[in-house]
């Protein structure tokens, strides 16, 4: 099947309209509009506590909006049956918790739960999905080990394997490179790119590393002030002005010699111009 036909088969619309989110009396997001590009990789960036993770939680039905709505193919996700939604949209949260003593293979196998009906049994398709997820995340050698005995980086790859085993057309990942060294960060992002290119999976991920976000994303969403500051092609929206307004930091943007995408060089006061004394 051609990449165009794959995209057409897996294309789903996901959008937030007039979305306001809060924890108790504290408003985190207000009046947000965002349309996710179908069949593309979208990276969400922003300063700490700007609402990135909160937005993903609402898009996956874990947090009900105060006002507005999240629509999947025109339907409100918060009114969809949980299993039906989970067959189309998967979420890897920021700090997932595994049941005590569960093995890697059992945890990854839980990604198949949305595909199990009341009377259906585990089948060869489930086995294949779990095996593929373990293989592509290079965790197959960990299959029989308890998750709580793994390193942080190993655990993160196992959680990604569970999300892949869920086999959804839409995948939301909150900081999927957390706990990973730089080589494994690139490996995971390459894996997600492969998934997008070969299966047309729409991927939305929160990333802290701006340069990796610019390199891997088709669409970059920068959040600030409880809303979207800008969104679009990284070559157009990843500017010195954006870094200044969103992160409060001066920088220089040059062309990445590897990808041709924008590359941000932060300017600290010890590395440009006259050094200023520390403020007591």
């Amino acid at each position: 099947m051609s990449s165009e036909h794959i995209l057409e088969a897996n294309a789903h619309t996901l959008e937030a309209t007039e979305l306001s989110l809060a924890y108790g009396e504290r408003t985190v997001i207000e009046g947000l509009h965002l349309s996710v590009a179908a069949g593309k990789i979208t990276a969400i960036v922003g300063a700490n506590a700007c609402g990135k993770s909160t937005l993903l939680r609402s898009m996956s039905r874990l947090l009900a909006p105060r006002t507005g709505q999240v629509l999947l193919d025109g339907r409100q996700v918060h009114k969809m049956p949980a299993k039906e939604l989970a067959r189309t949209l998967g979420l890897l949260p920021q700090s997932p918790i595994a049941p005590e003593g569960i093995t890697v293979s059992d945890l990854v196998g839980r990604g198949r739960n949305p595909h199990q009906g009341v009377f259906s049994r585990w089948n060869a398709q489930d086995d294949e999905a779990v095996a593929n997820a373990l293989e592509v995340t290079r965790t197959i050698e960990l299959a029989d080990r308890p998750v709580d005995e793994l390193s942080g980086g190993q655990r993160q790859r196992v959680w990604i394997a569970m999300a892949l085993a869920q086999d959804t057309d839409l995948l939301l990942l909150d900081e999927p490179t957390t706990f990973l060294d730089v080589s494994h960060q690139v490996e995971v992002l390459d894996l997600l790119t492969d998934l997008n290119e070969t299966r047309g999976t729409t991927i939305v991920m929160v990333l802290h590393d701006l340069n990796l976000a610019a390199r891997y994303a088709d669409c970059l969403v920068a959040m600030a002030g409880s809303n979207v500051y800008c969104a679009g092609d990284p070559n157009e929206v990843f500017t010195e002005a954006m870094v200044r307004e969103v992160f409060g930091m001066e920088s220089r943007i040059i062309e990445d010699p590897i990808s041709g995408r924008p590359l941000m060089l932060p300017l600290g006061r010890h590395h440009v111009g006259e050094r200023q004394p520390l403020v007591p």
Side-chain angles (χ1 to χ4, degrees):
M1 185 181 293
S2 68
S3 58
E4 291 81 5
H5 289 155
I6 291 173
L7 175 57
E8 184 178 348
N10 295 347
H12 295 274
T13 61
L14 180 65
E15 59 181 336
T17 61
E18 287 290 347
L19 188 66
S20 295
L21 303 170
Y23 296 109
E25 297 300 316
R26 183 172 66 91
T27 298
V28 180
I29 287 175
E30 189 163 14
L32 180 144
H33 290 266
L34 180 65
S35 293
V36 173
K40 303 293 185 180
I41 297 177
T42 296
I44 302 176
V45 300
N48 289 341
C50 71
K52 304 182 297 295
S53 298
T54 300
L55 176 59
L56 286 198
R57 283 173 52 83
S58 183
M59 283 184 160
S60 61
R61 212 185 80 143
L62 294 181
L63 179 65
R66 173 180 284 175
T67 61
Q69 56 190 353
V70 177
L71 300 174
L72 174 61
D73 297 333
R75 299 172 61 192
Q76 293 188 47
V77 298
H78 295 88
K79 294 183 178 180
M80 293 178 64
K83 269 200 170 184
E84 180 185 353
L85 179 65
R87 286 193 289 269
T88 300
L89 186 150
L91 170 71
L92 176 62
Q94 189 174 30
S95 301
I97 299 175
E100 185 176 354
I102 192 171
T103 65
V104 167
S105 60
D106 286 342
L107 181 64
V108 175
R110 292 196 174 194
R112 302 301 299 164
N113 286 352
H115 302 277
Q116 308 297 312
V118 177
F119 301 107
S120 63
R121 296 182 178 180
W122 189 274
N123 57 37
Q125 185 178 355
D126 298 316
D127 284 328
E128 182 179 2
V130 170
N132 287 340
L134 291 170
E135 182 177 358
V136 298
T137 54
R138 299 189 182 183
T139 53
I140 196 164
E141 72 280 1
L142 305 174
D144 296 326
R145 291 183 57 183
V147 174
D148 50 19
E149 292 181 3
L150 303 180
S151 69
Q154 289 173 325
R155 261 197 303 272
Q156 188 69 358
R157 283 189 286 150
V158 168
W159 282 110
I160 292 172
M162 190 191 79
L164 296 184
Q166 192 173 334
D167 194 21
T168 59
D169 295 331
L170 275 152
L171 191 55
L172 312 182
L173 304 107
D174 194 355
E175 299 184 32
T177 56
T178 298
F179 304 119
L180 301 179
D181 58 41
V182 65
S183 65
H184 284 115
Q185 289 180 40
V186 171
E187 186 176 312
V188 165
L189 294 173
D190 280 342
L191 165 64
L192 294 174
T193 300
D194 291 340
L195 192 66
N196 169 258
E197 291 181 347
T198 60
R199 297 179 52 191
T201 304
T202 300
I203 293 172
V204 182
M205 56 185 174
V206 170
L207 289 178
H208 272 303
D209 190 309
L210 296 181
N211 290 328
L212 287 178
R215 176 179 286 193
Y216 283 92
D218 300 302
C219 178
L220 192 67
V221 176
M223 293 185 62
S226 304
N227 214 310
V228 173
Y229 173 81
C230 61
D233 187 302
N235 291 298
E236 298 175 0
V237 304
F238 194 11
T239 64
E240 293 172 10
M242 183 275 281
V243 175
R244 183 184 306 115
E245 292 296 323
V246 173
F247 295 93
M249 179 177 66
E250 295 298 326
S251 65
R252 293 292 179 268
I253 304 295
I254 64 173
E255 181 178 297
D256 184 338
I258 304 299
S259 66
R261 296 290 188 90
L263 180 69
M264 189 272 292
L265 305 177
L267 298 183
R269 58 187 178 79
H270 286 288
H271 300 97
V272 60
E274 181 179 351
R275 296 187 178 186
Q276 300 296 320
L278 291 172
V279 177

